[in-house]
Amino acid sequence: MTDVRADNEGYRRFRAAMQEGTLSPGMVVTQNELCDLLGLSLSPLRETLVLLEEFGLVEIKPRTGIRIVYPEVAFIRENYQFRIMIEEFALRSFGDTVTEDWLANMRESHEKCRASLTDGGPFEDEQIRFLALDGRMHREIVEALGNRAILDTHQRLQENIRMAQQVHRRPGFRGALLQTIEEHLKVIECLERRDVEGAVAALEAHFRASTHRTFAA
């Protein structure tokens, strides 16, 4: 089973437009404007809007237009709660099968990323590298479940949270990335000791801190 999102070109274009800033949270557009922005005709746009509304990413206002969701506290909390449920469940399965090679590679990757973030190099390049590593670690834990529908849902939650973090970002974001790396390393350390419940507790602490940083970083 595959999430319909994965097969919807309009959804992918919407996400890309949000990432690029062509669309922004809180923005109100008409159907015709959204057709132009996404390069879609009216029929596929309407199919996409059904999906976006179901996912809580747009609100359709009669006689007003289409409002892009602004990630308020409730939106962020709900996405984090759902993601935590998935990842804690997945981590218990992953922790029983994780290989020494995966742990060594993940530790090395995080330590290299930490060094790059502290050496004063171009932040944009280091941020891209960090985001790729962050996404890979969480995704590979969830992949242990072997459930495509859960993995697709998890990806959508990650995208929602990434959008919220982009909106609420504060000065000092480099420090927030370094804190995240340290939290990831605590999860990895527990897995190295085969302490799965310790890893779950470290993951819970990471998500609590990450939720706070979304507003206070």
Side-chain angles (χ1 to χ4, degrees), residues 78-169:
E78 288 169 4
N79 279 273
Y80 265 115
Q81 285 175 342
F82 197 0
R83 185 176 164 190
I84 290 167
M85 288 172 59
I86 291 173
E87 290 201 33
E88 285 185 2
F89 179 64
L91 185 55
R92 287 189 169 91
S93 175
F94 181 76
D96 291 335
T97 60
V98 62
T99 66
E100 296 295 335
D101 285 345
W102 186 91
L103 290 167
N105 177 271
M106 196 57 66
R107 174 173 284 282
E108 180 183 11
S109 297
H110 276 78
E111 289 174 348
K112 284 182 177 179
C113 191
R114 177 173 58 190
S116 297
L117 281 165
T118 54
D119 70 4
F123 178 63
E124 185 174 343
D125 293 343
E126 303 310 328
Q127 180 185 358
I128 291 170
R129 186 175 293 109
F130 165 85
L131 292 175
L133 177 60
D134 177 69
R136 179 165 72 91
M137 176 171 167
H138 289 283
R139 182 181 65 253
E140 289 179 358
I141 289 172
V142 176
E143 283 176 346
L145 295 173
N147 187 310
R148 187 71 215 178
I150 292 177
L151 186 62
D152 285 340
T153 299
H154 179 263
Q155 179 180 334
R156 174 164 56 87
L157 296 170
Q158 281 192 304
E159 290 168 345
N160 288 352
I161 291 169
R162 194 67 50 82
M163 176 188 71
Q165 290 170 335
Q166 190 172 8
V167 169
H168 293 282
R169 184 174 302 163

Side-chain angles (χ1 to χ4, degrees), residues 1-216:
M1 178 179 178
T2 300
D3 190 333
V4 67
R5 174 204 55 76
D7 298 319
N8 188 280
E9 178 65 20
Y11 179 90
R12 290 195 292 269
R13 293 187 188 186
F14 176 87
R15 282 294 192 186
M18 293 290 291
Q19 182 67 30
E20 295 162 3
T22 307
L23 292 172
S24 58
M27 185 177 182
V28 177
V29 293
T30 65
Q31 281 195 1
N32 288 338
E33 288 170 335
L34 198 53
C35 281
D36 291 340
L37 288 169
L38 300 183
L40 297 172
S41 60
L42 195 55
S43 180
L45 176 69
R46 286 173 175 162
E47 293 178 4
T48 298
L49 285 175
V50 170
L51 189 60
L52 293 173
E53 191 172 30
E54 178 186 342
F55 287 167
L57 294 173
V58 301
E59 297 175 351
I60 300 176
K61 305 283 190 179
R63 298 182 298 278
T64 301
I66 301 154
R67 180 181 180 272
I68 312 301
V69 68
Y70 186 88
E72 303 283 3
V73 174
F75 177 90
I76 295 167
R77 181 181 295 115
E78 288 169 4
N79 279 273
Y80 265 115
Q81 285 175 342
F82 197 0
R83 185 176 164 190
I84 290 167
M85 288 172 59
I86 291 173
E87 290 201 33
E88 285 185 2
F89 179 64
L91 185 55
R92 287 189 169 91
S93 175
F94 181 76
D96 291 335
T97 60
V98 62
T99 66
E100 296 295 335
D101 285 345
W102 186 91
L103 290 167
N105 177 271
M106 196 57 66
R107 174 173 284 282
E108 180 183 11
S109 297
H110 276 78
E111 289 174 348
K112 284 182 177 179
C113 191
R114 177 173 58 190
S116 297
L117 281 165
T118 54
D119 70 4
F123 178 63
E124 185 174 343
D125 293 343
E126 303 310 328
Q127 180 185 358
I128 291 170
R129 186 175 293 109
F130 165 85
L131 292 175
L133 177 60
D134 177 69
R136 179 165 72 91
M137 176 171 167
H138 289 283
R139 182 181 65 253
E140 289 179 358
I141 289 172
V142 176
E143 283 176 346
L145 295 173
N147 187 310
R148 187 71 215 178
I150 292 177
L151 186 62
D152 285 340
T153 299
H154 179 263
Q155 179 180 334
R156 174 164 56 87
L157 296 170
Q158 281 192 304
E159 290 168 345
N160 288 352
I161 291 169
R162 194 67 50 82
M163 176 188 71
Q165 290 170 335
Q166 190 172 8
V167 169
H168 293 282
R169 184 174 302 163
R170 302 289 187 272
F173 190 57
R174 185 187 294 262
L177 301 190
L178 287 168
Q179 290 172 25
T180 300
I181 288 172
E182 296 303 324
E183 291 157 12
H184 281 189
L185 285 169
K186 288 179 182 177
V187 176
I188 293 166
E189 180 182 345
C190 289
L191 291 173
E192 288 169 338
R193 300 196 308 264
R194 302 298 166 172
D195 178 8
V196 177
E197 288 307 311
V200 170
L203 183 68
E204 290 175 346
H206 164 51
F207 276 126
R208 284 196 301 270
S210 184
T211 303
H212 175 73
R213 282 194 297 269
T214 301
F215 298 103

